[in-house]
Amino acid sequence: MVKRSNPPGAPARENSARRGVHATLMGAAWGAFVWLAYGLVEFTLSTGIQLWRNPEMEILGWQWRLIAMLMGAFGLIGLTLGAAGGIAAPGSPRIFASLSLALVFAGNLLLGWSLGRSEYIALAAAIFVSVSLASALVSKKMRARFQFLTSPWTVSLLLLGSPWVSREALDSTASPALKMTLSVLFVLAVAVTAAVFGRFTNRRALAMRAAGLFGVAILTVSVAAAFAGAQDSVAQPAAPVEGRSSPNVLLIVMDTVRADHTSLYGYERDTTPNLRAFADHATFYSRAVAVSDFTLPSHASMFTGVYRDWHGAFRLGGENPQPLNPDRPTLAEVLSSHGYWTASSVANFAYLARWTGLTRGFAVTETGRPVDISRANQAFYLRRVAKRLLRLTADTAALDRETMTAADVERKTRGLLARAKSGRAPFFLFVNYMDAHYPYVPDPPFDLRFPGKGELSPSVDDWRRQATLKEHPLTPAERSNLVSQYDGGITEEDASIGRLLGRLRELGLYDNTLIIITSDHGEAFGEHDLLRHEIGFVYQNLVSIPLIIKYPRQLDPRRSDELVSQVDFMPTILDLAGIPMPAALQGVSLVAAERDRTRVVYASANGLNRVARVNPKFAGTRHAIFAGSLKLISSTSGPTELYDLNADPGEEHNLYSSGDPRAVELSRRLESWVASMPHGKVRTKRLDPATRERLKSLGYVQ
């Protein structure tokens, strides 16, 4: 029997291979730990300050999956870099893991050049950490000196501290000197504390235990803040208990939904099956007109029964949005004063907010807002690196979502309905959805309900392209993408509305409830070389809105082809509730037995100054008058337009002629209406930084 023997050197090679595998695994483990710790610190700092500063913010259920994905991306980056470090520096996996973090952080800052003052401090900190840890790799003396920098918590706070203090913790009212001073002090405090702790604590286990406790502490704070944010910001009283006799009122606004993108109005895609079913027992209005092309004036007209120049809530001078005139009573105030319990659940946190005056009269206002887990406007965060990695394998669009989803609004509305049911007073409940609002991020499966979804060019989000769309039109792929996601958002809202109507039936509240389902304005997708809304135009894609009303105890379907406006909502509701009308309402009750068949309605919009500076087409003010099938548009900076909407619903053929008797009559009536607008002292109110930030987050201001 021949005894086998290993070749010379085989045991050494096997031992070397085992050591290599061990070093790689250790490096990967340390890399994942360090990068996950950094991700946790970044998330805690960015999210904690938002929850503290904005009481209406919360971490919504659908965001936890996205947060886990981001943390997974951080862990994967660390795992990969740490494994490489285990091969390159097998004896120092902790040092290499922290070094990789500092180097990538510095590179991210350099790619985002130019830098702010605080980011220069962060860059200096990243360079200091990198040089120190690099020297620790080659020198035992340096390793002992800079041992404290191997703590991922210390490194993370050193890197993030300065820009976080300056850009997140301190608002825009703080002086540059104060920001600079506190940024430097924060970084120095972290460095000195960590160095002293490292010098006097020789036992590594104690240091690691303290680091772990610190990590657990900030995780606990984060989770506690999240759950705190998930609760109602203010404890609200239950619905008052009184005799329920008047009809309940449910007003649902599908923000930014144009009529011709709903299947109820003949759209080829079945975007609103639940609204179609609802219309089988309701009144369908085929010619409903919004008073303007964006949220603030449209909702203000719904709530006051007058046009925008009378209630004052619109962009003054084409730039600054103004709040509702404090002397103008709101629908919620009037109903509340007559025994109604009033509540709202709204996704548009920017314009349906306290500063606008549109929340006046509501006993309960639910304005939940998801925390911004993307923080795309803060380039110093490594989150954008993690997002790029995620984008290779997953859909990351929801990371940039700024508003509640239809499911979030529905959840809050169900709670309000339960409270309304528990009382005996009639209720007025206002619900606002935002799923069809840009950036159009419907939840699965609605994001794939209609073909066309794909990658979108960043230029579509640039208002300068909005101003020059004629020269740089949407490509077929861009338009297909936008429209598919917009339609998906409408369908998601429709599904939620269907469930809410079902819940209303389950609670026994449906029959005696006046239900109004509508929109505040429309949206443009390249028609007339326009994109989105709030751009100063009154074409049909911007002001033609869906309107379906189920009157109390209505069972049969009805259709109305009369011209109706958002100013009609308040008179209609008060008429049905048996409440006297406030003085000088400009709308009419839609349940009145006799209405003026020659009635006209109006719409107005202001151009945006910043856009007009790029393209004069967007300057000035436009007013429209609707009479029968005719529509005349006057402009302070452009040509007059006349359209026959029956023959030309897309407004492609301008029929205006100065000698046309139809144009002469409509121009006279429109000029008379404009001349009757209030011309008293103009109220101007500058937006505070917090309000500007709210509007900026939804693209309303720059």
Side-chain angles (χ1 to χ4, degrees), residues 264-340:
L264 191 63
Y265 283 74
Y267 191 41
E268 63 270 17
R269 289 175 169 173
D270 193 11
T271 54
T272 53
N274 288 285
L275 289 191
R276 281 193 294 104
F278 173 68
D280 288 340
H281 307 282
T283 303
F284 169 79
Y285 292 87
S286 65
R287 303 174 65 204
V289 179
V291 302
S292 192
D293 67 336
F294 77 107
T295 298
L296 179 59
S298 293
H299 277 84
S301 287
M302 294 184 212
F303 289 172
T304 63
V306 298
Y307 288 100
R308 57 157 222 173
D309 287 86
W310 281 263
H311 61 58
F314 64 100
R315 283 189 179 275
L316 208 58
E319 199 61 44
N320 294 315
Q322 297 296 300
L324 187 67
N325 187 327
D327 299 327
R328 181 64 60 179
T330 69
L331 176 60
E333 286 177 317
V334 175
L335 291 173
S336 179
S337 68
H338 285 79
Y340 272 75

Side-chain angles (χ1 to χ4, degrees), residues 150-170:
T150 60
S151 166
W153 315 107
T154 298
V155 173
S156 300
L157 290 172
L158 284 175
L159 299 176
L160 291 169
S162 174
W164 178 78
V165 168
S166 178
R167 294 184 179 272
E168 298 271 47
L170 299 175

Side-chain angles (χ1 to χ4, degrees), residues 619-654:
T621 301
R622 288 167 182 82
H623 299 295
I625 181 172
F626 298 76
S629 66
L630 296 178
K631 174 183 179 180
L632 183 134
I633 303 173
S634 71
S635 171
T636 59
S637 63
T640 302
E641 301 168 71
L642 177 67
Y643 300 100
D644 184 338
L645 298 178
N646 283 348
D648 181 22
E651 298 165 295
E652 297 176 354
H653 307 289
N654 185 2

Side-chain angles (χ1 to χ4, degrees), residues 34-35 38 77 81 85 95-111 122-135 137 155 159 380 382 385:
V34 168
W35 277 80
Y38 169 85
I77 294 171
L81 294 177
I95 297 175
F96 191 90
S98 295
L99 175 60
S100 70
L101 176 62
L103 288 173
V104 174
F105 189 90
N108 184 56
L109 286 176
L110 292 172
L111 288 174
L123 181 60
I127 293 172
F128 166 74
V129 172
S130 299
V131 171
S132 301
L133 291 176
S135 66
L137 284 175
V155 173
L159 299 176
F380 62 89
L382 286 181
V385 177

Side-chain angles (χ1 to χ4, degrees), residues 483-560:
V483 172
S484 74
Q485 298 309 287
Y486 175 75
D487 290 346
I490 295 175
T491 307
E492 183 171 7
E493 293 177 359
D494 176 80
S496 177
I497 291 171
R499 292 190 295 269
L500 279 181
L501 295 178
R503 182 58 179 160
L504 209 60
R505 292 186 181 93
E506 292 172 1
L507 293 172
L509 300 172
Y510 186 85
D511 289 342
N512 191 40
T513 298
L514 169 66
I515 303 173
I516 302 175
I517 303 176
T518 187
S519 172
D520 54 348
H521 56 78
E523 190 79 318
F525 293 102
E527 305 94 337
H528 298 281
D529 300 315
L530 301 175
L531 185 61
R532 296 205 289 276
H533 63 274
E534 198 178 11
I535 44 183
F537 288 82
V538 287
Y539 291 118
Q540 289 299 92
N541 50 10
L542 293 166
V543 298
S544 178
I545 56 172
L547 176 61
I548 314 98
I549 300 179
K550 196 279 292 182
Y551 292 96
R553 298 177 179 82
Q554 179 178 352
L555 299 176
D556 58 317
R558 302 169 198 163
R559 178 188 176 99
S560 171

